[in-house]
């Protein structure tokens, strides 16, 4: 059976690529600290020696649209082209091509349906920055096959938070029941408090630092029940109008498991959002790892 | 209200560089053309499979024609779509983050709960 080598959750700030590659007067003052945190975070994946990446993200109205919007979708294709025109335009993100892992995708689809998740599938998926940002930060050589899993955190009506946790738990069980000797890392990206297109956008900090503090604590300590007790589809509007992306962090808490303390926790308070990085090793911290919580 | 159609306008214009420039330079003309030619186009179908019933209200047509992002927000247009399209059109005319912050300040009078964006 496959081994779950690492569970990784992070934000997916699309400005990282530009900030980290900028030089001279174009390089923002926070770039060096951000790069240092990302390089430490990247090492947590490198040390897990993964063969395959299951990548949880959310299409931002790039390919998926309101005429036919899936709640949860698995990409099953031999290759995935990546990044769209308007991401290149706004964030300078490069076009990319990633290999797919069709056998694991087929397993997730069959087993997921049998576990009562009505998973949509796509045989021709162009992935966006929710998945390419963690490739850029965690695996810039982009050499591993992926299985993209898209969730709808964007176009109401949305699934309930508990459904995201349940899907995370199921993904873990399904990865561990995959008949393979591969080492699988599950990587998911979401948001802490975030406002986009509203009056609280692009402030000095994230729109709700108190929510961010609680959210980081829930994730770092694996406090799924405490998180579910306070978070609802309705409450997630208050920390910022794009905070429903936090449900992808809740999905990753489901993958990591109730009470699972993260082995690596780091944050960076940027000018309009708090960046956050978490890594769990379900089978123990790899030897020689310098990670610390 | 036709929130779906507002979003469809923003979605189709944002993803097409030529349409983005056309909407920047001639907003009223682009909205008129788009409603006549594009509003009822099924995005995954050949032109012959057009739908027949989608149209803006007068207020929606005016908000789009006047680049009125505050009105679009209050009508429940998806804020991510409006923001990304308007950044594409107008950030170039301002200093770093200047446009994005002014965009937010123009909505300071709007309080929670924000308008429903469900379509």
């Amino acid at each position: 059976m496959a081994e779950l080598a690492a569970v990784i959750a992070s934000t997916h700030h699309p400005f990282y690529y530009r900030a980290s590659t900028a030089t001279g007067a174009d390089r923002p003052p926070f770039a060096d600290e951000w790069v240092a945190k990302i390089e430490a975070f990247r090492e947590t994946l490198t040390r897990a020696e993964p063969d395959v990446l299951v990548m949880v993200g959310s299409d931002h109205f790039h390919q998926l649209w309101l005429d036919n919007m899936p709640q949860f979708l698995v990409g099953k294709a031999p290759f995935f082209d990546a990044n769209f025109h308007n991401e290149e335009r706004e964030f300078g993100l490069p076009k990319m091509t990633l290999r797919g892992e069709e056998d694991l995708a087929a397993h997730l689809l069959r087993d997921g349906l049998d576990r009562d998740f009505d998973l949509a599938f796509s045989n021709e998926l162009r992935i966006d920055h929710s998945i390419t940002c963690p490739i850029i930060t965690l695996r810039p050589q982009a050499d591993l096959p992926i299985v993209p899993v898209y969730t709808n955190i964007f176009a109401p009506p949305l699934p309930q938070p508990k459904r995201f946790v349940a899907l995370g738990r199921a993904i873990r069980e399904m990865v561990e029941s995959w008949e393979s000797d591969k080492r699988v890392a599950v990587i998911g990206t979401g948001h802490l408090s975030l406002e986009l297109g509203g009056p609280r956008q692009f402030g000095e900090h994230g729109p709700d630092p108190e929510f961010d503090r609680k959210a980081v604590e829930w994730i770092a300590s694996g406090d799924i029940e405490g998180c579910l007790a306070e978070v609802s589809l309705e409450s997630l509007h208050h920390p910022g109008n794009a905070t429903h992306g936090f449900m992808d962090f809740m999905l990753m808490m489901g993958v990591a498991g109730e009470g699972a303390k993260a082995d690596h926790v780091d944050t960076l308070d940027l000018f309009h959002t708090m960046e956050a990085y978490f890594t769990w090793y379900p089978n123990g911290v790899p030897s020689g790892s310098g990670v610390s919580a | 209200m036709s929130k779906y159609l507002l979003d469809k306008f923003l979605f189709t214009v944002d993803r097409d560089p030529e349409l983005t420039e056309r909407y920047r330079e001639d907003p009223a003309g682009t909205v008129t053309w788009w409603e006549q030619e594009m509003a009822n186009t099924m995005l995954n179908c050949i032109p012959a499979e057009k739908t027949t019933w989608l149209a803006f209200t007068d207020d929606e047509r005016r908000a789009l024609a006047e680049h009125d992002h505050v009105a679009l927000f209050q009508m429940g247009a998806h804020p991510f779509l409006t923001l990304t399209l308007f950044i594409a059109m107008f950030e170039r005319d301002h200093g770093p983050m200047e446009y994005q912050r002014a965009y937010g300040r123009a909505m300071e009078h709007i309080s929670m709960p924000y308008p429903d964006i469900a379509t």
Side-chain angles (χ1 to χ4, degrees):
Chain A
M1 294 299 168
E3 181 171 344
L4 183 61
V7 179
I8 295 184
S10 80
T11 39
H12 60 248
H13 202 311
F15 290 114
Y16 176 75
Y17 180 76
R18 181 171 277 165
S20 63
T21 56
T23 58
D26 293 333
R27 191 169 177 85
F30 48 79
D32 290 345
E33 183 185 9
W34 202 0
V35 169
K37 285 176 181 284
I38 288 296
E39 288 181 350
F41 186 45
R42 180 181 305 156
E43 184 62 16
T44 70
L45 177 67
T46 305
R47 287 191 182 275
E49 299 183 332
D51 302 305
V52 182
L53 307 177
V54 174
M55 304 204 67
V56 178
S58 302
D59 177 82
H60 296 67
F61 284 145
H62 283 122
Q63 179 169 343
L64 307 181
W65 175 240
L66 298 167
D67 59 352
N68 191 1
M69 179 60 70
Q71 300 296 352
F72 301 113
L73 178 147
V74 175
K76 181 182 179 297
F79 295 95
F80 298 96
D81 289 309
N83 290 334
F84 286 75
H85 152 71
N86 55 10
E87 297 174 302
E88 200 173 22
R89 179 188 72 199
E90 281 181 41
F91 314 129
L93 292 176
K95 297 286 174 61
M96 304 169 75
T97 303
L98 299 162
R99 278 187 297 134
E101 171 46 83
E102 289 194 87
D103 185 62
L104 178 55
H107 173 66
L108 293 183
L109 283 164
R110 180 67 266 161
D111 205 1
L113 289 166
D114 293 344
R115 293 167 184 265
D116 296 331
F117 288 95
D118 295 326
L119 302 173
F121 64 90
S122 173
N123 293 136
E124 188 179 6
L125 185 67
R126 188 177 189 96
I127 57 181
D128 80 359
H129 71 270
S130 68
I131 286 176
T132 58
C133 286
I135 291 292
I136 288 166
T137 53
L138 290 162
R139 196 75 180 185
Q141 59 271 51
D143 59 338
L144 297 177
I146 69 166
V147 178
V149 178
Y150 266 148
T151 68
N152 176 21
I153 49 87
F154 205 60
L158 308 177
Q160 294 288 348
K162 65 182 180 185
R163 196 67 175 151
F164 283 75
V165 173
L167 181 58
R169 288 176 173 141
I171 286 174
R172 176 171 182 154
E173 292 173 8
M174 292 190 286
V175 165
E176 292 180 330
S177 69
W178 182 37
E179 292 188 10
S180 168
D181 59 1
K182 301 277 178 62
R183 295 172 61 80
V184 181
V186 183
I187 300 171
T189 64
H191 303 296
L192 301 179
S193 70
L194 183 64
E195 176 112 335
L196 292 173
R200 294 176 291 171
Q201 69 174 7
F202 296 112
E204 293 303 311
H205 304 282
D208 192 336
E210 175 62 15
F211 175 84
D212 294 344
R213 188 193 62 75
K214 283 199 293 187
V216 169
E217 178 60 27
W218 286 327
I219 301 167
S221 62
D223 185 8
I224 295 174
E225 293 309 315
C227 180
L228 280 171
E230 286 199 39
V231 167
S232 68
L233 287 176
E234 293 71 31
S235 76
L236 284 172
H237 285 290
H238 296 291
N241 67 348
T243 308
H244 287 90
F246 179 64
M247 294 194 294
D248 279 340
F249 270 123
M250 297 181 74
L251 189 156
M252 297 310 299
M253 292 166 72
V255 179
E258 174 68 41
K261 188 173 182 294
D263 295 296
H264 174 86
V265 179
D266 203 358
T267 60
L268 177 62
D269 197 10
L270 276 180
F271 58 96
H272 69 127
T273 181
M274 175 174 275
E275 296 295 282
Y277 312 106
F278 306 89
T279 301
W280 295 261
Y281 296 112
N283 299 303
V285 177
S287 61
S289 171
V291 301
S292 59
Chain B
M1 293 291 287
S2 27
K3 282 188 284 184
Y4 171 70
L5 195 60
L6 283 178
D7 287 347
K8 186 175 178 179
F9 178 92
L10 299 166
F11 173 68
T12 55
V13 174
D14 183 57
R15 68 199 340 242
D16 182 329
E18 289 183 19
L19 275 183
T20 304
E21 293 309 303
R22 185 170 168 180
Y23 183 46
R24 170 185 158 96
E25 300 302 328
D26 177 19
T30 305
V31 171
T32 300
W33 167 83
W34 190 91
E35 191 171 9
Q36 290 171 349
E37 302 295 330
M38 296 284 292
N40 283 290
T41 298
M42 300 282 281
L43 298 180
N44 270 333
C45 297
I46 60 171
E49 308 293 359
K50 278 190 170 188
T51 189
T52 59
W53 51 273
L54 287 164
F56 293 126
T57 66
D58 288 345
D59 285 345
E60 291 165 346
R61 198 176 292 115
R62 182 205 61 76
L64 289 172
E66 295 180 3
H67 284 159
D68 187 344
H69 73 82
V70 179
L72 291 170
F73 186 86
Q74 290 173 313
M75 288 172 176
H78 199 292
F80 184 86
L81 287 169
T82 314
L83 178 66
T84 57
L85 174 57
F86 277 51
I87 284 175
M89 292 193 295
F90 301 122
E91 184 185 23
R92 72 185 81 164
D93 301 327
H94 300 80
M97 299 307 294
E98 186 180 77
Y99 178 73
Q100 290 87 332
R101 291 191 172 119
Y103 186 107
R105 278 198 306 276
M107 290 186 281
E108 279 178 346
H109 59 288
I110 299 171
S111 57
M112 301 291 290
Y114 295 160
D116 182 12
I117 62 168
T119 48

